Amino acid sequence: MTEKLRRYEDWARACMHVRCGLCRENCPAYGQMKLDSYSAKGKVTMLYHWLEGSLEPSEKMAERVFACTSCGLCDIACGYPQSEAIQEMKIALFDAGIFPSAQYSRISEHTRRAGNPYGETPETGQQLLKAIPEASAENAEYLLFFGCTEIYRGAPQRESVLKILRSAGIPFKTPSENICCGSPVYRVGDLEQATIQAKSVQSMVKNIGIDQVIASCSGCYRTLSHDYSTLLRTDPGFRTIHTVQLIDRLIKEGTIRMRRMNAKVTYHDPCHLGRHSGIYEEPREILRSIPGVSFVEMEWNRKFSRCCGAGGGLRSARGEDAIEIASRRVKEAEETGASLLVTACPFCLRNLEDGAKSIGSSIKVCAIESLVANLIE
Ligand code: SF4
Ligand code: SF4
């Protein structure tokens, strides 16, 4: 039991007494598993009894806690940052060696052994990064940070980001070594390894000598720009921007122009970029600026956006559940009549693509960087 968990005792007690249950609405874990113990209310109730000594932490408790995708939607419904308490529960359970299944501990084992959550041979990533011409760029103003999903799983999006930055004449450099930002291990409670990853990235950026980092993975962006000050207990010494912020600026400056595309398009807010970082407008501005695009919102958007189901280790550990959650988000996109569902995170992208495939949807799922790169004049 960590002292940090005690901070949430009053909230947990308050929740026990009000019994409102507002956090259930749209909670992906509750919506999928259909049991109260998967909602934020269920988890903080377990926390309350854990703190009172009337409930021992167990694998069954961990199974509920780790099913949380870290989406943060319950925080909006509740008013208390319940996802923060759930994150601390994950850390305490991880420290006690209590996991629901090996699939969760594997994310941590892979990162500790291979340096990436997928367990891919690190040399593959290093070779790929070293082959990018900008790895040897000099006098660059920006460092383009690729996350593990972009390196090991997301070739089209990676190439799109490179194309946009080159077309716009952005002076950028890419790192020649792959260091995971630490987000996947942090979301499964491995605070120690997340801190090691944060220190490694901080030292890599410092050695390169650039203090402006570009990230196109929303998980990397949130971790570098928000979580590092907690993990490192100090400012990391660099500023991070997401590709949507840069692209939006380049369009407004007239540096990049896009061809016409007649299509109805909708947008999925990645939880890490939207709710956790407050970046809602830039991707919408980009889509609205494409000649011929008719932009439509899904019913649940911006801070109320439903989660795609991939986060918190759910996609890696319980792939079928994650894909079913994604398929419900795809159905919501279909209801808008859009033919294209755009997002700004490679992890959301993969899960939504699988969700669309699982229900035979005709909607095309696309990364915002790929859309822009294809239309750039
Ligand atoms: S919304 Fe907040 S107070 Fe209400 S049940 Fe959920 S966690 Fe408890
Ligand atoms: S963070 Fe998301 S998945 Fe976790 S309990 Fe809250 S709403 Fe549910």
Side-chain angles (χ1 to χ4, degrees):
M1 161 86 60
T2 69
E3 274 313 302
K4 277 190 184 168
L5 277 179
R6 288 258 165 231
R7 282 195 218 151
Y8 306 105
E9 192 170 1
D10 288 346
W11 302 353
R13 187 182 296 109
C15 172
M16 293 273 293
H17 285 91
V18 295
R19 294 173 182 266
C20 69
L22 286 171
C23 57
R24 291 186 195 115
E25 184 163 17
N26 290 333
C27 165
Y30 175 76
Q32 179 65 13
M33 320 303 175
K34 309 272 191 253
L35 281 176
D36 209 21
S37 50
Y38 289 94
S39 70
K41 178 184 176 54
K43 287 164 193 142
V44 295
T45 301
M46 286 188 278
L47 173 61
Y48 179 81
H49 288 292
W50 185 3
L51 292 168
E52 291 297 297
S54 50
L55 184 68
E56 283 298 311
S58 62
E59 280 182 20
K60 198 168 179 180
M61 181 201 278
E63 195 266 328
R64 268 48 173 180
V65 173
F66 281 82
C68 168
T69 65
S70 309
C71 73
L73 198 45
C74 50
D75 301 347
I76 304 292
C78 175
Y80 283 110
Q82 301 294 13
S83 65
E84 200 183 296
I86 297 165
Q87 172 65 23
E88 286 302 331
M89 289 177 83
K90 287 183 180 178
I91 292 171
L93 289 164
F94 184 96
D95 284 347
I98 303 170
F99 293 103
S101 71
Q103 269 72 19
Y104 285 98
S105 53
R106 207 164 288 156
I107 294 169
S108 173
E109 284 159 20
H110 283 160
T111 308
R112 286 169 181 251
R113 177 179 52 77
N116 65 80
Y118 297 114
E120 296 287 349
T121 318
E123 288 72 27
T124 315
Q126 314 296 45
Q127 276 170 16
L128 186 147
L129 287 170
K130 281 186 178 151
I132 298 175
E134 286 82 1
S136 51
E138 289 181 3
N139 303 319
E141 285 174 26
Y142 294 93
L143 180 67
L144 176 58
F145 182 89
F146 284 123
C148 300
T149 304
E150 292 157 304
I151 293 174
Y152 297 104
R153 299 287 186 271
Q157 194 207 12
R158 194 179 61 233
E159 291 307 315
S160 300
V161 175
L162 288 168
K163 181 180 171 187
I164 295 167
L165 298 192
R166 286 170 186 155
S167 305
I170 299 291
F172 73 100
K173 178 177 174 61
T174 49
S176 48
E177 54 177 334
N178 164 225
I179 303 176
C180 174
C181 70
S183 178
V185 281
Y186 190 39
R187 312 292 163 218
V188 295
D190 188 351
L191 179 63
E192 182 185 77
Q193 191 60 31
T195 307
I196 291 172
Q197 297 303 133
K199 284 182 180 164
S200 303
V201 171
Q202 183 189 36
S203 129
M204 176 185 76
V205 176
K206 192 176 174 197
N207 289 340
I208 292 173
I210 298 176
D211 63 1
Q212 295 192 87
V213 174
I214 304 169
S216 54
C217 169
S218 293
C220 295
Y221 172 78
R222 181 229 161 130
T223 309
L224 267 61
S225 59
H226 302 304
D227 296 325
Y228 273 17
S229 51
T230 306
L231 293 170
L232 299 166
R233 296 167 190 261
T234 181
D235 185 278
F238 57 84
R239 195 173 72 93
T240 308
I241 58 168
H242 192 274
T243 36
V244 293
Q245 295 174 298
L246 181 64
I247 296 169
D248 180 44
R249 197 186 81 203
L250 293 170
I251 291 170
K252 285 180 176 148
E253 288 171 355
T255 311
I256 54 176
R257 284 195 184 80
M258 286 176 280
R259 288 194 309 276
R260 188 172 189 84
M261 183 188 76
N262 295 324
K264 202 183 235 191
V265 176
T266 192
Y267 175 72
H268 165 77
D269 291 276
C271 302
H272 287 317
L273 191 66
R275 218 165 7 250
H276 306 161
S277 306
I279 298 179
Y280 299 114
E281 300 313 319
E282 289 90 337
R284 289 172 168 82
E285 294 274 306
I286 294 169
L287 296 173
R288 286 197 185 100
S289 74
I290 301 172
V293 159
S294 160
F295 178 72
V296 281
E297 290 284 6
M298 281 189 264
E299 182 182 355
W300 299 95
N301 61 72
R302 295 185 172 82
K303 71 176 179 180
F304 301 109
S305 174
R306 283 177 173 159
C307 172
C308 78
L314 199 74
R315 180 177 164 92
S316 310
R318 304 173 70 155
E320 285 182 15
D321 288 321
I323 291 168
E324 268 187 45
I325 294 168
S327 71
R328 288 197 279 278
R329 186 65 170 153
V330 170
K331 281 182 193 156
E332 199 187 326
E334 282 178 332
E335 283 164 15
T336 66
S339 58
L340 201 57
L341 167 58
V342 175
T343 193
C345 175
F347 211 50
C348 295
L349 177 79
R350 285 169 51 75
N351 209 44
L352 290 167
E353 279 176 340
D354 288 346
K357 207 182 296 169
S358 74
I359 54 169
S361 174
S362 60
I363 204 162
K364 188 170 164 17
V365 186
C366 179
I368 196 159
E369 295 87 353
S370 303
L371 183 63
V372 171
N374 284 337
L375 294 173
I376 217 159
E377 285 184 330

